[in-house]
mmCIF file of all heavy atoms in Angstrom:
data_model
loop_
_atom_site.group_PDB
_atom_site.id
_atom_site.type_symbol
_atom_site.label_atom_id
_atom_site.label_comp_id
_atom_site.label_asym_id
_atom_site.label_seq_id
_atom_site.Cartn_x
_atom_site.Cartn_y
_atom_site.Cartn_z
ATOM 1 N N ASP P 153 10.848 4.535 2.394
ATOM 2 C CA ASP P 153 10.844 5.535 3.457
ATOM 3 C C ASP P 153 11.578 6.791 3.001
ATOM 4 O O ASP P 153 12.517 6.722 2.198
ATOM 5 C CB ASP P 153 11.543 5.002 4.710
ATOM 6 C CG ASP P 153 10.703 4.008 5.479
ATOM 7 O OD1 ASP P 153 9.469 4.074 5.388
ATOM 8 O OD2 ASP P 153 11.284 3.171 6.176
ATOM 9 N N THR P 154 11.157 7.934 3.518
ATOM 10 C CA THR P 154 11.890 9.177 3.276
ATOM 11 C C THR P 154 12.026 9.930 4.590
ATOM 12 O O THR P 154 11.142 9.877 5.447
ATOM 13 C CB THR P 154 11.191 10.087 2.249
ATOM 14 O OG1 THR P 154 9.885 10.405 2.712
ATOM 15 C CG2 THR P 154 11.121 9.444 0.878
ATOM 16 N N VAL P 155 13.138 10.606 4.756
ATOM 17 C CA VAL P 155 13.386 11.443 5.923
ATOM 18 C C VAL P 155 13.730 12.839 5.427
ATOM 19 O O VAL P 155 14.018 13.046 4.252
ATOM 20 C CB VAL P 155 14.545 10.899 6.811
ATOM 21 C CG1 VAL P 155 14.217 9.519 7.336
ATOM 22 C CG2 VAL P 155 15.865 10.885 6.062
ATOM 23 N N CYS P 156 13.692 13.804 6.334
ATOM 24 C CA CYS P 156 14.203 15.130 6.012
ATOM 25 C C CYS P 156 15.289 15.472 7.027
ATOM 26 O O CYS P 156 15.375 14.858 8.088
ATOM 27 C CB CYS P 156 13.108 16.185 5.956
ATOM 28 S SG CYS P 156 12.143 16.417 7.437
ATOM 29 N N CYS P 157 16.098 16.437 6.685
ATOM 30 C CA CYS P 157 17.220 16.836 7.532
ATOM 31 C C CYS P 157 17.171 18.344 7.738
ATOM 32 O O CYS P 157 17.004 19.104 6.780
ATOM 33 C CB CYS P 157 18.538 16.447 6.879
ATOM 34 S SG CYS P 157 19.992 17.027 7.778
ATOM 35 N N ILE P 158 17.318 18.752 8.998
ATOM 36 C CA ILE P 158 17.458 20.174 9.299
ATOM 37 C C ILE P 158 18.945 20.448 9.486
ATOM 38 O O ILE P 158 19.610 19.800 10.298
ATOM 39 C CB ILE P 158 16.666 20.573 10.547
ATOM 40 C CG1 ILE P 158 15.168 20.448 10.260
ATOM 41 C CG2 ILE P 158 17.004 21.993 10.972
ATOM 42 C CD1 ILE P 158 14.268 21.011 11.319
ATOM 43 N N TYR P 171 18.674 28.216 9.132
ATOM 44 C CA TYR P 171 18.497 26.783 8.940
ATOM 45 C C TYR P 171 17.875 26.512 7.585
ATOM 46 O O TYR P 171 17.259 27.380 6.973
ATOM 47 C CB TYR P 171 17.648 26.172 10.052
ATOM 48 C CG TYR P 171 16.167 26.403 9.939
ATOM 49 C CD1 TYR P 171 15.340 25.450 9.346
ATOM 50 C CD2 TYR P 171 15.575 27.570 10.419
ATOM 51 C CE1 TYR P 171 13.976 25.659 9.236
ATOM 52 C CE2 TYR P 171 14.215 27.772 10.317
ATOM 53 C CZ TYR P 171 13.417 26.816 9.720
ATOM 54 O OH TYR P 171 12.079 27.019 9.617
ATOM 55 N N SER P 172 18.062 25.308 7.124
ATOM 56 C CA SER P 172 17.477 24.869 5.876
ATOM 57 C C SER P 172 17.003 23.433 6.078
ATOM 58 O O SER P 172 17.611 22.674 6.832
ATOM 59 C CB SER P 172 18.515 24.945 4.756
ATOM 60 O OG SER P 172 17.911 24.672 3.517
ATOM 61 N N VAL P 173 15.918 23.066 5.414
ATOM 62 C CA VAL P 173 15.397 21.702 5.514
ATOM 63 C C VAL P 173 15.590 21.023 4.165
ATOM 64 O O VAL P 173 15.227 21.572 3.119
ATOM 65 C CB VAL P 173 13.902 21.691 5.902
ATOM 66 C CG1 VAL P 173 13.409 20.262 6.064
ATOM 67 C CG2 VAL P 173 13.670 22.484 7.184
ATOM 68 N N TYR P 174 16.192 19.841 4.179
ATOM 69 C CA TYR P 174 16.411 19.043 2.976
ATOM 70 C C TYR P 174 15.440 17.867 3.019
ATOM 71 O O TYR P 174 15.386 17.143 4.014
ATOM 72 C CB TYR P 174 17.869 18.583 2.906
ATOM 73 C CG TYR P 174 18.803 19.762 2.825
ATOM 74 C CD1 TYR P 174 19.270 20.386 3.985
ATOM 75 C CD2 TYR P 174 19.180 20.282 1.603
ATOM 76 C CE1 TYR P 174 20.096 21.500 3.917
ATOM 77 C CE2 TYR P 174 20.009 21.402 1.522
ATOM 78 C CZ TYR P 174 20.465 22.004 2.686
ATOM 79 O OH TYR P 174 21.275 23.103 2.610
ATOM 80 N N TYR P 175 14.660 17.681 1.948
ATOM 81 C CA TYR P 175 13.540 16.759 1.949
ATOM 82 C C TYR P 175 13.801 15.503 1.129
ATOM 83 O O TYR P 175 14.711 15.457 0.310
ATOM 84 C CB TYR P 175 12.290 17.440 1.352
ATOM 85 C CG TYR P 175 11.977 18.770 1.965
ATOM 86 C CD1 TYR P 175 12.338 19.953 1.353
ATOM 87 C CD2 TYR P 175 11.326 18.846 3.184
ATOM 88 C CE1 TYR P 175 12.055 21.184 1.919
ATOM 89 C CE2 TYR P 175 11.032 20.065 3.769
ATOM 90 C CZ TYR P 175 11.403 21.221 3.127
ATOM 91 O OH TYR P 175 11.122 22.420 3.707
ATOM 92 N N ASN P 176 12.920 14.522 1.344
ATOM 93 C CA ASN P 176 12.853 13.302 0.535
ATOM 94 C C ASN P 176 14.190 12.579 0.396
ATOM 95 O O ASN P 176 14.582 12.203 -0.708
ATOM 96 C CB ASN P 176 12.247 13.591 -0.836
ATOM 97 C CG ASN P 176 10.813 14.050 -0.714
ATOM 98 O OD1 ASN P 176 10.077 13.582 0.150
ATOM 99 N ND2 ASN P 176 10.406 14.978 -1.564
ATOM 100 N N ILE P 177 14.852 12.395 1.508
ATOM 101 C CA ILE P 177 16.107 11.651 1.533
ATOM 102 C C ILE P 177 15.755 10.189 1.805
ATOM 103 O O ILE P 177 15.085 9.868 2.788
ATOM 104 C CB ILE P 177 17.042 12.187 2.636
ATOM 105 C CG1 ILE P 177 17.319 13.676 2.405
ATOM 106 C CG2 ILE P 177 18.319 11.388 2.700
ATOM 107 C CD1 ILE P 177 17.904 14.403 3.604
ATOM 108 N N HIS P 178 16.199 9.291 0.933
ATOM 109 C CA HIS P 178 15.907 7.864 1.080
ATOM 110 C C HIS P 178 17.038 7.151 1.818
ATOM 111 O O HIS P 178 18.205 7.294 1.438
ATOM 112 C CB HIS P 178 15.731 7.204 -0.291
ATOM 113 C CG HIS P 178 14.469 7.592 -0.980
ATOM 114 N ND1 HIS P 178 13.282 6.949 -0.788
ATOM 115 C CD2 HIS P 178 14.210 8.589 -1.867
ATOM 116 C CE1 HIS P 178 12.338 7.506 -1.517
ATOM 117 N NE2 HIS P 178 12.876 8.521 -2.173
ATOM 118 N N TYR P 201 19.637 17.512 12.550
ATOM 119 C CA TYR P 201 18.535 16.622 12.935
ATOM 120 C C TYR P 201 17.997 15.884 11.724
ATOM 121 O O TYR P 201 17.874 16.450 10.645
ATOM 122 C CB TYR P 201 17.379 17.415 13.565
ATOM 123 C CG TYR P 201 17.755 18.117 14.836
ATOM 124 C CD1 TYR P 201 17.927 19.492 14.869
ATOM 125 C CD2 TYR P 201 17.952 17.402 16.023
ATOM 126 C CE1 TYR P 201 18.288 20.143 16.035
ATOM 127 C CE2 TYR P 201 18.311 18.048 17.192
ATOM 128 C CZ TYR P 201 18.476 19.416 17.193
ATOM 129 O OH TYR P 201 18.839 20.062 18.347
ATOM 130 N N ILE P 202 17.650 14.621 11.927
ATOM 131 C CA ILE P 202 16.949 13.823 10.927
ATOM 132 C C ILE P 202 15.534 13.607 11.459
ATOM 133 O O ILE P 202 15.352 13.289 12.638
ATOM 134 C CB ILE P 202 17.640 12.455 10.700
ATOM 135 C CG1 ILE P 202 19.069 12.636 10.190
ATOM 136 C CG2 ILE P 202 16.814 11.575 9.765
ATOM 137 C CD1 ILE P 202 19.185 13.187 8.786
ATOM 138 N N ILE P 203 14.527 13.765 10.600
ATOM 139 C CA ILE P 203 13.132 13.603 10.998
ATOM 140 C C ILE P 203 12.460 12.628 10.042
ATOM 141 O O ILE P 203 12.585 12.754 8.813
ATOM 142 C CB ILE P 203 12.391 14.953 10.979
ATOM 143 C CG1 ILE P 203 13.065 15.927 11.946
ATOM 144 C CG2 ILE P 203 10.916 14.766 11.329
ATOM 145 C CD1 ILE P 203 12.631 17.350 11.794
ATOM 146 N N TYR P 204 11.760 11.652 10.621
ATOM 147 C CA TYR P 204 10.954 10.731 9.840
ATOM 148 C C TYR P 204 9.494 10.985 10.169
ATOM 149 O O TYR P 204 9.169 11.121 11.347
ATOM 150 C CB TYR P 204 11.287 9.267 10.165
ATOM 151 C CG TYR P 204 10.309 8.320 9.489
ATOM 152 C CD1 TYR P 204 10.500 7.946 8.169
ATOM 153 C CD2 TYR P 204 9.182 7.851 10.160
ATOM 154 C CE1 TYR P 204 9.589 7.123 7.541
ATOM 155 C CE2 TYR P 204 8.267 7.030 9.528
ATOM 156 C CZ TYR P 204 8.474 6.662 8.220
ATOM 157 O OH TYR P 204 7.562 5.857 7.596
ATOM 158 N N PRO P 205 8.627 11.054 9.193
ATOM 159 C CA PRO P 205 8.860 11.016 7.748
ATOM 160 C C PRO P 205 9.182 12.404 7.212
ATOM 161 O O PRO P 205 8.981 13.401 7.888
ATOM 162 C CB PRO P 205 7.510 10.529 7.211
ATOM 163 C CG PRO P 205 6.508 11.080 8.170
ATOM 164 C CD PRO P 205 7.184 11.052 9.513
ATOM 165 N N SER P 206 9.652 12.449 5.985
ATOM 166 C CA SER P 206 9.956 13.717 5.347
ATOM 167 C C SER P 206 8.693 14.542 5.174
ATOM 168 O O SER P 206 7.633 14.012 4.840
ATOM 169 C CB SER P 206 10.585 13.463 3.977
ATOM 170 O OG SER P 206 10.935 14.670 3.347
ATOM 171 N N SER P 207 8.783 15.835 5.447
ATOM 172 C CA SER P 207 7.642 16.733 5.269
ATOM 173 C C SER P 207 8.136 18.141 4.974
ATOM 174 O O SER P 207 9.049 18.627 5.637
ATOM 175 C CB SER P 207 6.764 16.757 6.526
ATOM 176 O OG SER P 207 5.789 17.763 6.411
ATOM 177 N N LYS P 208 7.496 18.773 4.004
ATOM 178 C CA LYS P 208 7.838 20.161 3.688
ATOM 179 C C LYS P 208 7.313 21.130 4.737
ATOM 180 O O LYS P 208 7.622 22.306 4.708
ATOM 181 C CB LYS P 208 7.299 20.530 2.311
ATOM 182 C CG LYS P 208 8.018 19.793 1.207
ATOM 183 C CD LYS P 208 7.632 20.314 -0.156
ATOM 184 C CE LYS P 208 8.294 19.495 -1.218
ATOM 185 N NZ LYS P 208 9.372 20.100 -1.890
ATOM 186 N N ASP P 209 6.513 20.627 5.682
ATOM 187 C CA ASP P 209 5.951 21.482 6.732
ATOM 188 C C ASP P 209 6.779 21.480 8.012
ATOM 189 O O ASP P 209 6.389 22.102 9.000
ATOM 190 C CB ASP P 209 4.513 21.050 7.048
ATOM 191 C CG ASP P 209 3.592 21.296 5.867
ATOM 192 O OD1 ASP P 209 3.782 22.318 5.177
ATOM 193 O OD2 ASP P 209 2.699 20.463 5.635
ATOM 194 N N VAL P 210 7.926 20.794 8.026
ATOM 195 C CA VAL P 210 8.808 20.811 9.192
ATOM 196 C C VAL P 210 9.440 22.196 9.302
ATOM 197 O O VAL P 210 9.879 22.769 8.306
ATOM 198 C CB VAL P 210 9.902 19.721 9.069
ATOM 199 C CG1 VAL P 210 10.989 19.913 10.098
ATOM 200 C CG2 VAL P 210 9.286 18.338 9.197
ATOM 201 N N LYS P 211 9.470 22.736 10.524
ATOM 202 C CA LYS P 211 10.051 24.073 10.756
ATOM 203 C C LYS P 211 10.911 24.048 12.016
ATOM 204 O O LYS P 211 10.823 23.141 12.818
ATOM 205 C CB LYS P 211 8.931 25.108 10.924
ATOM 206 C CG LYS P 211 8.046 25.272 9.728
ATOM 207 C CD LYS P 211 6.985 26.303 9.998
ATOM 208 C CE LYS P 211 6.115 26.501 8.789
ATOM 209 N NZ LYS P 211 4.846 25.882 8.840
ATOM 210 N N ARG P 212 11.670 25.108 12.181
ATOM 211 C CA ARG P 212 12.457 25.331 13.394
ATOM 212 C C ARG P 212 12.027 26.680 13.957
ATOM 213 O O ARG P 212 12.616 27.708 13.631
ATOM 214 C CB ARG P 212 13.943 25.330 13.073
ATOM 215 C CG ARG P 212 14.817 25.577 14.274
ATOM 216 C CD ARG P 212 16.278 25.699 13.818
ATOM 217 N NE ARG P 212 17.133 26.019 14.925
ATOM 218 C CZ ARG P 212 17.579 27.228 15.201
ATOM 219 N NH1 ARG P 212 17.249 28.253 14.469
ATOM 220 N NH2 ARG P 212 18.385 27.426 16.223
ATOM 221 N N LEU P 218 11.618 21.938 17.238
ATOM 222 C CA LEU P 218 11.203 21.572 15.898
ATOM 223 C C LEU P 218 9.679 21.544 15.858
ATOM 224 O O LEU P 218 9.042 21.096 16.808
ATOM 225 C CB LEU P 218 11.751 20.189 15.528
ATOM 226 C CG LEU P 218 13.271 20.011 15.660
ATOM 227 C CD1 LEU P 218 13.658 18.564 15.433
ATOM 228 C CD2 LEU P 218 13.997 20.924 14.691
ATOM 229 N N GLU P 219 9.116 22.012 14.777
ATOM 230 C CA GLU P 219 7.676 21.946 14.572
ATOM 231 C C GLU P 219 7.427 20.918 13.478
ATOM 232 O O GLU P 219 7.933 21.057 12.362
ATOM 233 C CB GLU P 219 7.130 23.309 14.161
ATOM 234 C CG GLU P 219 5.633 23.363 14.097
ATOM 235 C CD GLU P 219 5.132 24.757 13.760
ATOM 236 O OE1 GLU P 219 5.690 25.746 14.287
ATOM 237 O OE2 GLU P 219 4.180 24.840 12.961
ATOM 238 N N ILE P 220 6.644 19.885 13.818
ATOM 239 C CA ILE P 220 6.444 18.741 12.920
ATOM 240 C C ILE P 220 4.941 18.533 12.721
ATOM 241 O O ILE P 220 4.192 18.484 13.691
ATOM 242 C CB ILE P 220 7.091 17.475 13.521
ATOM 243 C CG1 ILE P 220 8.581 17.731 13.821
ATOM 244 C CG2 ILE P 220 6.915 16.283 12.597
ATOM 245 C CD1 ILE P 220 9.238 16.671 14.678
ATOM 246 N N PRO P 221 4.485 18.374 11.467
ATOM 247 C CA PRO P 221 3.058 18.157 11.244
ATOM 248 C C PRO P 221 2.623 16.764 11.700
ATOM 249 O O PRO P 221 3.362 15.790 11.551
ATOM 250 C CB PRO P 221 2.907 18.310 9.731
ATOM 251 C CG PRO P 221 4.237 17.963 9.179
ATOM 252 C CD PRO P 221 5.250 18.399 10.211
ATOM 253 N N VAL P 222 1.418 16.686 12.280
ATOM 254 C CA VAL P 222 0.802 15.423 12.671
ATOM 255 C C VAL P 222 -0.521 15.341 11.920
ATOM 256 O O VAL P 222 -1.448 16.092 12.235
ATOM 257 C CB VAL P 222 0.552 15.357 14.196
ATOM 258 C CG1 VAL P 222 -0.088 14.024 14.574
ATOM 259 C CG2 VAL P 222 1.849 15.575 14.968
ATOM 260 N N PRO P 223 -0.623 14.472 10.916
ATOM 261 C CA PRO P 223 -1.862 14.381 10.132
ATOM 262 C C PRO P 223 -3.081 14.063 10.995
ATOM 263 O O PRO P 223 -2.969 13.432 12.048
ATOM 264 C CB PRO P 223 -1.578 13.233 9.157
ATOM 265 C CG PRO P 223 -0.089 13.192 9.051
ATOM 266 C CD PRO P 223 0.415 13.570 10.417
ATOM 267 N N SER P 235 2.302 5.646 6.949
ATOM 268 C CA SER P 235 3.339 6.672 6.889
ATOM 269 C C SER P 235 2.854 7.912 7.623
ATOM 270 O O SER P 235 1.669 8.210 7.671
ATOM 271 C CB SER P 235 3.687 6.999 5.441
ATOM 272 O OG SER P 235 2.842 7.925 4.898
ATOM 273 N N ALA P 236 3.760 8.613 8.225
ATOM 274 C CA ALA P 236 3.528 9.848 8.980
ATOM 275 C C ALA P 236 2.961 9.620 10.365
ATOM 276 O O ALA P 236 2.805 10.548 11.127
ATOM 277 C CB ALA P 236 2.648 10.836 8.221
ATOM 278 N N SER P 237 2.664 8.369 10.742
ATOM 279 C CA SER P 237 2.130 8.144 12.085
ATOM 280 C C SER P 237 3.221 7.799 13.090
ATOM 281 O O SER P 237 3.003 7.877 14.282
ATOM 282 C CB SER P 237 1.096 7.017 12.076
ATOM 283 O OG SER P 237 1.730 5.771 11.856
ATOM 284 N N ILE P 239 6.232 9.301 13.926
ATOM 285 C CA ILE P 239 7.172 10.422 13.844
ATOM 286 C C ILE P 239 8.369 10.136 14.743
ATOM 287 O O ILE P 239 8.225 9.825 15.916
ATOM 288 C CB ILE P 239 6.497 11.744 14.237
ATOM 289 C CG1 ILE P 239 5.390 12.068 13.223
ATOM 290 C CG2 ILE P 239 7.514 12.877 14.320
ATOM 291 C CD1 ILE P 239 4.561 13.268 13.590
ATOM 292 N N ALA P 240 9.550 10.224 14.154
ATOM 293 C CA ALA P 240 10.783 9.982 14.889
ATOM 294 C C ALA P 240 11.771 11.097 14.584
ATOM 295 O O ALA P 240 11.808 11.629 13.471
ATOM 296 C CB ALA P 240 11.377 8.626 14.513
ATOM 297 N N VAL P 241 12.575 11.449 15.584
ATOM 298 C CA VAL P 241 13.563 12.520 15.456
ATOM 299 C C VAL P 241 14.889 12.009 15.990
ATOM 300 O O VAL P 241 14.933 11.313 17.008
ATOM 301 C CB VAL P 241 13.146 13.778 16.261
ATOM 302 C CG1 VAL P 241 14.184 14.876 16.131
ATOM 303 C CG2 VAL P 241 11.781 14.282 15.815
ATOM 304 N N GLY P 290 -2.339 17.795 14.190
ATOM 305 C CA GLY P 290 -2.168 19.172 13.735
ATOM 306 C C GLY P 290 -0.700 19.518 13.623
ATOM 307 O O GLY P 290 -0.034 19.170 12.670
ATOM 308 N N SER P 291 -0.166 20.164 14.651
ATOM 309 C CA SER P 291 1.235 20.587 14.642
ATOM 310 C C SER P 291 1.877 20.265 15.991
ATOM 311 O O SER P 291 1.405 20.711 17.030
ATOM 312 C CB SER P 291 1.313 22.084 14.365
ATOM 313 O OG SER P 291 2.648 22.500 14.311
ATOM 314 N N MET P 292 2.938 19.467 15.956
ATOM 315 C CA MET P 292 3.645 19.068 17.177
ATOM 316 C C MET P 292 4.867 19.955 17.392
ATOM 317 O O MET P 292 5.629 20.208 16.460
ATOM 318 C CB MET P 292 4.129 17.618 17.064
ATOM 319 C CG MET P 292 4.979 17.178 18.234
ATOM 320 S SD MET P 292 5.956 15.672 17.956
ATOM 321 C CE MET P 292 4.865 14.620 17.095
#
Side-chain angles (χ1 to χ4, degrees):
D153 285 334
T154 59
V155 299
C156 59
C157 175
I158 293 189
Y171 78 95
S172 187
V173 183
Y174 298 87
Y175 309 99
N176 296 324
I177 302 164
H178 289 273
Y201 297 106
I202 299 291
I203 300 167
Y204 172 83
S206 182
S207 172
K208 292 189 184 254
D209 294 323
V210 168
K211 298 180 178 103
R212 179 186 176 260
L218 305 173
E219 187 177 319
I220 305 168
V222 180
S235 85
S237 70
I239 296 174
V241 179
S291 182
M292 175 196 319

